[in-house]
């Protein structure tokens, strides 16, 4: 009998070496699965929160206005939440790596699959009323309230949402959801919907504003649902007189 | 009479037949020592390490799924033990991301038995094994010396099967380069 066999078998017969019971592994495996489930839930929640903020502030839609829109989109991403999401993806990938379905495939595939599936869940969650409800409940609270206030209530300074109040020679008057009035200047360079805009329609506008005047780079119809329950800073200036005409159905 | 499979023996151990574990030690002691010598490039402490492998295997025998193959499972424990030994000696490079496992690789086909190395060539390779990084050495040793399939090696090393083929191919190229430098 070899030394190794002799030593190990003697330890077993003396009772120095005992098997861990099956339930030990069942519990360990269950805990790992539960941890994975929790991490996945928080990943979906974080991603849906990012979508919610981007949709709520209108920033999610500005890339359709070209390079400048894409830059505004990238600048406005809640990078802290994006970083947190990346950390969650990494941790989940590491936890899943113990299972053959994960390690037997290239890491990039499992990460893409993880992001893909979680984004599907996030899109569904972002469509639900969850974040509106949470926002209403936590907006005065320190940590979560700060996150919602920080990202959800402060749109990019070039992104404006409001309803078309009246038409002018130069464009139209925009009434923001909190009652500020803007003069929107529309030119040939403005990217706008093919169909005519109607008075009273809610629109998203990309354009720098100065002393109450917005030079529109792009105009897009905006679903009213996105701005429900939202609050807005009340620091926007009054509009100036208009000069250029715009085609809008009265 | 056909020999009882490793999995059947492991099932007996799980059922409480502790003596049956001796059969598994007999079957794997030499193989694991051999893998350790080649992977670590030393015979020092190998016996103690292999003993620890069997202790861990016995302690955790209920985590073994007897519907799967026993060999990759025990080699996995041994590989972890040997990697930990390398880490203690700071001979195992740490990396968060391994490019070989991140991106999809072209599926490297497993060679046929005829292409396995003959004894003379095995000895020549063994002399140059220490020039290889551990991540190339492990699949090469498991494939050519332990005669494992790519799938089993993938389960031991927890890497994609295609990566096993890529690493073996690169290991051979590196060995060839080292050999050419010694004997131009």
């Amino acid at each position: 009998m070899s030394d190794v066999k002799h030593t190990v078998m003697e330890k077993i017969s003396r009772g120095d070496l005992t098997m861990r019971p099956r339930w030990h592994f069942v519990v360990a495996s269950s805990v790992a699965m539960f941890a994975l489930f929790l991490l996945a839930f928080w990943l979906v929640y974080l991603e849906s929160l990012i979508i919610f903020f981007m949709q709520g502030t209108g920033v999610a839609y500005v890339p359709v206005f070209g390079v400048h829109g894409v830059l505004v989109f990238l600048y406005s991403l809640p990078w802290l939440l994006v970083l947190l999401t990346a950390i969650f993806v990494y941790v989940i990938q590491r936890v899943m790596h113990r299972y053959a379905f994960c390690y037997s495939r290239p890491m990039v595939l499992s990460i893409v699959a993880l992001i893909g599936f979680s984004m599907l869940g996030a899109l569904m969650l972002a469509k639900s009323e969850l974040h509106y409800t949470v926002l209403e409940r936590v907006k005065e609270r320190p940590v979560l309230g700060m996150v919602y206030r920080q990202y959800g209530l402060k749109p990019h300074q070039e992104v404006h949402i409001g309803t078309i109040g009246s038409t002018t020679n130069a464009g139209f008057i925009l009434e923001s959801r909190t009652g500020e009035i803007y003069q929107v200047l529309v030119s040939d360079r403005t990217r706008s919907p093919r169909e005519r805009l109607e008075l009273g329609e809610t629109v998203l506008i990309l354009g720098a504003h100065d002393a109450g005047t917005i030079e529109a780079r792009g105009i897009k119809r905006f679903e009213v649902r996105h701005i429900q329950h939202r609050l807005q800073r009340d620091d926007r200036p009054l509009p100036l007189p208009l000069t250029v005409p715009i085609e809008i159905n009265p | 009479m056909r020999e009882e499979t490793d999995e059947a023996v492991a099932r007996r151990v799980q059922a409480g037949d502790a003596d049956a574990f001796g059969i598994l030690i007999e079957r794997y002691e030499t193989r694991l020592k051999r893998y350790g010598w080649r992977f670590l490039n030393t015979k020092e402490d190998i016996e103690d390490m292999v003993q620890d492998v069997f202790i861990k295997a016995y302690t955790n025998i209920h985590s073994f799924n007897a519907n799967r193959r026993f060999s990759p499972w025990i080699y996995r424990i041994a590989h972890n033990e040997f990697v930990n030994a390398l880490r203690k000696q700071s001979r195992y490079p740490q990396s968060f991301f391994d490019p070989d496992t991140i991106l999809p690789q072209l599926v490297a086909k497993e060679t046929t038995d005829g292409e396995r190395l003959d004894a003379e060539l095995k000895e020549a390779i063994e002399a140059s094994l220490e020039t290889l990084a551990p991540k190339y050495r492990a699949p090469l040793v498991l494939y050519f010396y332990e005669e494992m399939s790519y799938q089993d090696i993938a389960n031991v090393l927890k890497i994609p099967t295609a990566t096993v083929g890529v690493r073996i191919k690169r290991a051979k190229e590196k060995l060839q380069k080292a050999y050419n430098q010694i004997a131009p």
Side-chain angles (χ1 to χ4, degrees), chain B residues 41-82:
Chain B
N41 273 311
T42 177
K43 292 192 177 181
E44 204 178 314
D45 298 331
I46 290 291
E47 183 136 327
D48 288 345
M49 280 187 238
V50 170
Q51 186 176 298
D52 286 345
V53 170
F54 285 117
I55 287 172
K56 283 177 183 164
Y58 182 79
T59 310
N60 297 297
I61 194 76
H62 279 302
S63 72
F64 170 64
N65 179 354
N67 295 320
R68 293 189 174 186
R69 297 190 54 237
F70 181 78
S71 168
W73 184 76
I74 195 145
Y75 267 94
R76 173 76 196 157
I77 298 173
H79 180 75
N80 284 344
E81 191 73 19
F82 300 149

Side-chain angles (χ1 to χ4, degrees), chain A residues 11-236:
Chain A
K11 280 187 179 190
I12 292 172
S13 61
R14 278 207 313 259
D16 293 347
L17 206 56
T18 51
M19 287 181 213
R20 286 191 179 127
R22 189 178 296 277
W23 63 260
H24 172 92
F25 300 101
V26 172
V27 169
S29 179
S30 304
V31 168
M33 290 301 285
F34 184 67
L36 208 52
F37 176 79
L38 273 185
L39 286 167
F41 172 80
W42 280 107
L43 174 66
V44 170
Y45 183 81
L46 271 174
E47 287 175 344
S48 71
L49 197 58
I50 292 170
I51 295 168
F52 172 75
F53 289 148
M54 302 299 279
Q55 287 181 335
T57 54
V59 171
Y61 310 101
V62 296
V64 296
F65 298 136
V67 177
H68 188 74
V70 172
L71 291 176
V72 168
F73 174 82
L74 291 175
Y75 181 82
S76 306
L77 273 174
W79 285 106
L80 191 66
L81 294 182
V82 173
L83 179 70
L84 208 56
T85 304
I87 292 170
F88 266 82
V89 168
Y90 177 75
V91 172
I92 291 174
Q93 207 279 336
R94 296 315 296 170
V95 176
M96 286 199 315
H97 196 259
R98 58 189 285 170
Y99 302 107
F101 71 86
C102 184
Y103 70 70
S104 61
R105 289 174 178 81
M107 191 190 282
V108 74
L109 290 187
S110 52
I111 287 178
V112 166
L114 179 60
I115 292 174
F117 282 117
S118 60
M119 282 299 282
L120 276 178
L123 283 167
M124 287 193 280
L125 202 60
K127 274 190 173 180
S128 74
E129 292 296 313
L130 176 78
H131 290 297
Y132 297 113
T133 311
V134 175
L135 172 62
E136 282 303 304
R137 288 190 182 174
V138 304
K139 64 188 176 192
E140 301 304 332
R141 290 192 188 163
V143 181
L144 205 52
M146 189 192 73
V147 172
Y148 274 88
R149 284 195 305 273
Q150 178 70 24
Y151 294 117
L153 308 180
K154 290 183 180 176
H156 189 274
Q157 58 185 6
E158 287 191 37
V159 181
H160 315 271
I161 300 165
T163 53
I164 300 172
S166 58
T167 58
T168 65
N169 289 338
F172 57 89
I173 299 296
L174 182 80
E175 293 174 11
S176 82
R177 62 203 116 179
T178 49
E180 299 116 332
I181 307 295
Y182 292 94
Q183 167 191 293
V184 179
L185 302 180
V186 181
S187 67
D188 293 342
R189 290 189 305 170
T190 305
R191 294 186 187 208
S192 55
R194 285 181 185 171
E195 304 80 29
R196 285 182 171 185
L197 294 165
E198 307 286 339
L199 286 178
E201 265 196 292
T202 303
V203 288
L204 165 78
I205 298 166
L206 175 69
H209 79 92
D210 180 32
T213 302
I214 300 169
E215 281 190 53
R217 283 172 177 266
I219 302 170
K220 188 182 183 306
R221 284 193 174 83
F222 196 77
E223 287 179 41
V224 178
R225 183 183 173 276
H226 290 138
I227 56 172
Q228 282 174 344
H229 307 296
R230 292 190 60 246
L231 302 173
Q232 185 80 3
R233 285 177 302 167
D234 193 20
D235 56 356
R236 302 212 171 170

